[in-house]
DNA sequence: TCCAACCAGTTGCATCAAACAACCAGGCCG
DNA sequence: CGGCCTGGTTGTTTGATGCAACTGGTTGGA
């Protein structure tokens, strides 16, 4: 029996990847978040994703609570796939991935820049200590297992 | 001919996913970053990943510059897979994924908490406007295509 | 020096995921 | 009412993943 989850891993990143780690998942969320796409056909056209895969992903997103299926308008037979809070809160993940990609995977002018809606300033993500407020470099961050992670090997 | 990249997508998230989007990739990086694992066998045991997949991922990471293969010690035939800056800078992606997972995919006590090494404060990620310095909510961030994204459909 | 245990892969096969093209049923609008 | 649209589904092919066994080399102790 093939494993398709990360069930031996006791970390929330593994749990997250079980939901959004499959091919096209984050791209679909990205298009919903930043291009406002909600319709099946629009996702299909703008992403070039296979219809059976798109249908399966959207089903999973609805089932897991990242999206809701809503009628496109009153009495419409068609529906929109609308992000919930759970889905919208993937924004920092997509932004982090995009910033990394800007620097390392697609250097040169970035195709897309994230901006503050009201003043057009460029958006930054910062890693901060919650106690002393200091900006943290990569080497200053450590992962501490908590009590709840000790119950597994 | 089947497509296996996101080549129709002109965004850096797609480029990034072409490197780190395959199964186990981010988990391997996570173990390298936060558990300090460098040896093939240690990755294999702690992740439970298939050896052929692990070998393929590590090869790709070295080839793409995320890791370097270095002798484990002087005159050793074995080697360490050591993260480069390119690999280390995936930390914000993994932290964002883990924070999302803490809240939405594995609620309850998080198995791992990220802390500031020196003062043990909990690490936070913030989305800030580079101009006015304001903390930004999800709806205040917009993705703006740049000139370089207009050259494609 | 030899041998057991270790290391880092590789191989062949089975299973599953993704992609494709064709198709289907229902909705919509002129 | 018919043509075009929507949102899928289906069967097939191709590629990815996982498994167990295997290979060749390394290491260290007897």
């Amino acid at each position: 029996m093939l494993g398709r989850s990360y069930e031996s891993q006791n970390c929330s990143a593994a749990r997250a990847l079980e939901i959004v780690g499959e091919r096209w998942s984050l791209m679909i969320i990205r298009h919903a978040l930043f291009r406002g796409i909600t319709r099946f056909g629009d996702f299909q056209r703008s992403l070039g994703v296979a219809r059976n895969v798109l249908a399966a992903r959207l089903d999973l997103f609805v089932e897991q609570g990242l999206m809701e299926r809503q009628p496109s308008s009153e009495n419409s037979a068609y529906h929109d796939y609308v992000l919930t809070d759970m889905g919208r809160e993937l924004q920092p993940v997509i932004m982090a991935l995009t910033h990394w990609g800007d620097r390392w995977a697609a250097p040169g002018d970035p195709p897309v820049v994230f901006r503050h809606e009201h003043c057009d300033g460029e958006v930054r993500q910062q890693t901060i200590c919650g106690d002393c407020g200091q900006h943290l470099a990569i080497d200053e961050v450590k992962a501490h297992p908590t009590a709840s992670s000790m119950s597994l090997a």
Side-chain angles (χ1 to χ4, degrees), chain A:
Chain A
M1 167 71 81
L2 296 178
R4 291 297 169 186
S5 65
Y6 298 105
E7 64 201 27
S8 67
Q9 301 301 298
N10 188 18
C11 71
S12 299
R15 300 290 78 77
L17 286 170
E18 280 163 357
I19 300 175
V20 297
E22 287 177 16
R23 187 165 154 80
W24 291 110
S25 289
L26 286 174
M27 294 304 301
I28 293 165
I29 299 291
R30 178 183 180 279
H31 276 61
L33 264 173
F34 292 111
R35 295 172 64 160
I37 292 177
T38 58
R39 298 291 293 268
F40 183 97
D42 293 335
F43 280 118
Q44 204 277 309
R45 276 184 292 276
S46 71
L47 285 162
V49 56
R51 312 177 75 87
N52 54 322
V53 171
L54 178 58
R57 296 294 174 268
L58 293 174
D59 268 356
L60 179 74
F61 291 162
V62 170
E63 180 190 308
Q64 294 286 329
L66 283 78
M67 285 182 170
E68 282 170 3
R69 240 188 220 108
Q70 294 176 356
S72 288
S73 56
E74 222 172 304
N75 301 327
S76 175
Y78 305 139
H79 40 265
D80 288 319
Y81 287 92
V82 178
L83 285 168
T84 60
D85 282 347
M86 183 180 177
R88 274 193 292 277
E89 284 184 29
L90 280 165
Q91 190 194 61
V93 176
I94 292 171
M95 285 172 54
L97 201 53
T98 305
H99 288 149
W100 184 86
D102 284 342
R103 175 148 186 201
W104 294 109
D109 291 327
V112 154
V113 166
F114 298 112
R115 289 194 179 278
H116 182 185
E117 183 175 26
H118 298 308
C119 71
D120 244 34
E122 196 161 333
V123 169
R124 282 200 191 114
Q125 286 182 305
Q126 294 173 323
T127 307
I128 305 281
C129 174
D131 276 6
C132 65
Q134 209 173 325
H135 288 221
L136 302 178
I138 288 167
D139 292 339
E140 298 181 273
V141 176
K142 300 301 172 189
H144 284 238
T146 62
S148 72
S149 75
M150 306 300 194
S151 61
L152 275 142

